Amino acid sequence: MTSPNATVGDDLPSLLLLPPPPQPATRLALNATYEPSLKAAISKLKNERGGKDGSILIVALASPILTGNFRRQKSLSWTHAQSILADLYSIISVVCGQLSIPTEMHGGPGSVDVRVVLVHHDPSKPPVTDSKAAIAPNNTVIVDLATFAAAYHPWKYIFHPNNEPGYKLLSSYLKLFEGIQSLKQSQLVVVEGGLSMSIESSATSQSSIQTTPHSVVCLGGTFDNLHPGHKLLLTAAVLLLKVPEKGTSDPCQFVIGITGDELLKRKKYVEFVQSWDERVANTIEFLSSVLELSKDGWKKRQTPQITKKGDDSVALFRDGTIEVRCVIIQDAYGPTITTENMDALVVSGETRGGGNAVNDRRKETGWRQLEIFEVDVLDAEGIVHKSAETQDFASKISSTAIRKRKAESRSRI
């Protein structure tokens, strides 16, 4: 992600700790709770400009998202989790649109690459007094607060909301983080806390129907100039993975069909379309934010190792238990009709029809149909302080809009 030898003044990622969402977690309530904190943290990083690629902000939403009494038998409600992710990325997109901040990966000085990580933490349960930060993954990609503290470091800044849930979460986190990174007081930044709502018991978040995880999950897209819509799709998709134990010879697979260069030659501002290899590298780099776990923190995450297997690009995470395979898409179906061993296909509301077409083709072939999971689309619903920029944010974060901005920026030079 960044230089392992970086210091406070260099381009380390920053962290924003967010306490559990209000119940019920409507968009209006989420916006009132989180928008002020997100806006303050993003604004500070924008004003510092960052390095040549801008700044990175990891938003850790700590909430009791997993159920199950045993470490290897955890489960979650995918519908609930992806909805929270979509709402957060929508708020982030609106904030960045209002402040004219690019939020794609490697967006240049003044950009803020915001990445949301879901962390399991139940503040209603008493903390374990002798708890230490340690990497102990479960059978999902979501980790607990102790594992997060052990694997995600060092930080440039740690932001936290100025309210009771925010301070309580910071206290729990810093106890786990003790001895991992020496922090100066200036690195702990209090930001506006928004509406502080009482949190119902953890049973509230566990009441949704739990989702059966899958060993092979598939997703397709262009992933050009990787932006919040892409980040949402990728994060939501990996939540469906059933992660095996360390030492397995059969990892779970996340198969990502990425549109080949030939199919993108007629795109607007085609000269700013990233190459397939660059789009693969950015996709895997982003996924390392969610999947990679190392006690060395960013030192092991700087450049995820990508190996070639034929035309595919493959990266392994979590001691080889998760395989990410990027495949070139040359048609509307991609690997879904050339690879029989698949379980689930993730689509957005905009590509729902494509999922149905895939299953029709698989049925014709005599293959079992894929379970289709639909991710919510980014929108400005529930945003209180609306403006022209708010209403138009979706067009501003599209890959085409990003390429247009780059073209206009070059013409001014």
Side-chain angles (χ1 to χ4, degrees):
M1 230 188 212
T2 179
S3 170
N5 298 315
T7 61
V8 173
D10 292 320
D11 302 323
L12 288 171
S14 292
L15 168 66
L16 171 59
L17 290 167
L18 292 181
Q23 298 293 339
T26 64
R27 171 66 67 79
L28 194 63
L30 287 168
N31 188 69
T33 303
Y34 296 139
E35 190 264 357
S37 302
L38 287 163
K39 194 168 190 175
I42 291 169
S43 295
K44 179 173 175 61
L45 294 177
K46 176 202 177 184
N47 292 335
E48 297 203 354
R49 301 289 291 170
K52 66 180 180 65
D53 287 333
S55 301
I56 295 175
L57 176 64
I58 303 292
V59 176
L61 177 63
S63 67
I65 195 166
L66 297 178
T67 64
N69 295 323
F70 301 101
R71 186 171 64 87
R72 297 299 311 173
Q73 296 179 12
K74 299 295 184 183
S75 64
L76 72 148
S77 165
W78 184 83
T79 301
H80 170 74
Q82 72 83 25
S83 176
I84 294 290
L85 281 169
D87 287 344
L88 278 175
Y89 271 120
S90 292
I91 296 168
I92 289 163
S93 299
V94 169
V95 166
C96 290
Q98 290 172 338
L99 299 175
S100 298
I101 300 174
T103 189
E104 72 271 16
M105 285 183 63
H106 308 302
S111 67
V112 183
D113 174 6
V114 187
R115 308 177 187 184
V116 179
V117 177
L118 299 181
V119 178
H120 177 69
H121 175 65
D122 190 346
S124 69
K125 293 184 177 180
V128 180
T129 53
D130 60 349
S131 179
K132 298 289 184 184
I135 295 176
N138 51 64
N139 56 303
T140 76
V141 301
I142 295 175
V143 298
D144 61 19
L145 192 62
T147 297
F148 179 81
Y152 287 72
H153 59 84
W155 302 108
K156 182 175 183 179
Y157 297 112
I158 297 176
F159 299 99
H160 66 94
N162 185 23
N163 54 30
E164 184 180 350
Y167 277 104
K168 186 176 180 181
L169 174 58
L170 177 69
S171 176
S172 298
Y173 173 78
L174 290 180
K175 286 176 183 176
L176 294 166
F177 201 58
E178 187 176 351
I180 294 177
Q181 178 184 355
S182 297
L183 294 167
K184 296 179 180 179
Q185 192 60 41
S186 59
Q187 290 176 266
L188 297 174
V189 182
V190 183
V191 292
E192 187 179 347
L195 184 63
S196 179
M197 295 185 177
S198 60
I199 300 165
E200 298 178 26
S201 69
S202 59
T204 302
S205 63
Q206 299 173 3
S207 61
S208 302
I209 297 174
Q210 302 297 287
T211 304
T212 302
H214 295 280
S215 297
V216 185
V217 176
C218 184
L219 172 69
T222 60
F223 301 103
D224 180 43
N225 290 286
L226 202 129
H227 56 64
H230 299 137
K231 297 172 187 178
L232 166 61
L233 278 170
L234 291 166
T235 307
V238 295
L239 295 181
L240 290 166
L241 289 173
K242 181 181 180 181
V243 183
E245 290 197 62
K246 181 179 177 180
T248 182
S249 60
D250 192 15
C252 63
Q253 285 190 323
F254 182 29
V255 182
I256 310 172
I258 300 182
T259 309
D261 293 335
E262 284 296 317
L263 294 183
L264 300 180
K265 285 186 174 180
R266 294 190 178 183
K267 289 282 187 182
K268 289 183 178 179
Y269 311 103
V270 66
E271 66 272 26
F272 293 97
V273 171
Q274 295 169 329
S275 70
W276 190 84
D277 287 333
E278 186 176 359
R279 287 180 281 131
V280 166
N282 286 342
T283 299
I284 290 176
E285 180 192 333
F286 170 77
L287 285 170
S288 73
S289 306
V290 182
L291 300 178
E292 187 55 59
L293 299 175
S294 168
K295 64 181 179 60
D296 296 318
W298 312 133
K299 292 181 183 180
K300 290 286 181 71
R301 279 188 224 195
Q302 186 183 5
T303 50
Q305 186 173 357
I306 302 173
T307 58
K308 283 285 188 180
K309 292 187 177 180
D311 291 332
D312 301 347
S313 293
V314 178
L316 295 174
F317 296 98
R318 299 196 186 181
D319 297 311
T321 59
I322 302 174
E323 177 184 285
V324 175
R325 179 180 294 267
C326 296
V327 180
I328 299 176
I329 292 180
Q330 305 288 14
D331 55 39
Y333 300 97
T336 58
I337 62 168
T338 58
T339 304
E340 182 176 4
N341 183 29
M342 287 185 177
D343 303 318
L345 174 64
V346 177
V347 299
S348 69
E350 299 163 338
T351 59
R352 183 187 305 131
N356 295 331
V358 162
N359 270 340
D360 288 343
R361 285 291 298 271
R362 288 179 68 91
K363 186 176 181 180
E364 291 172 6
T365 310
W367 293 352
R368 62 185 168 86
Q369 295 185 323
L370 303 177
E371 187 172 358
I372 296 178
F373 293 85
E374 185 177 322
V375 180
D376 293 347
V377 295
L378 301 181
D379 62 52
E381 180 185 353
I383 305 300
V384 177
H385 305 293
K386 291 189 177 180
S387 62
E389 290 81 5
T390 301
Q391 301 288 5
D392 197 36
F393 86 93
S395 64
K396 288 189 173 185
I397 66 165
S398 70
S399 296
T400 302
I402 293 168
R403 294 195 300 272
K404 179 182 178 182
R405 188 184 70 234
K406 290 181 176 182
E408 291 172 346
S409 176
R410 174 182 286 184
S411 67
R412 291 194 294 268
I413 297 175

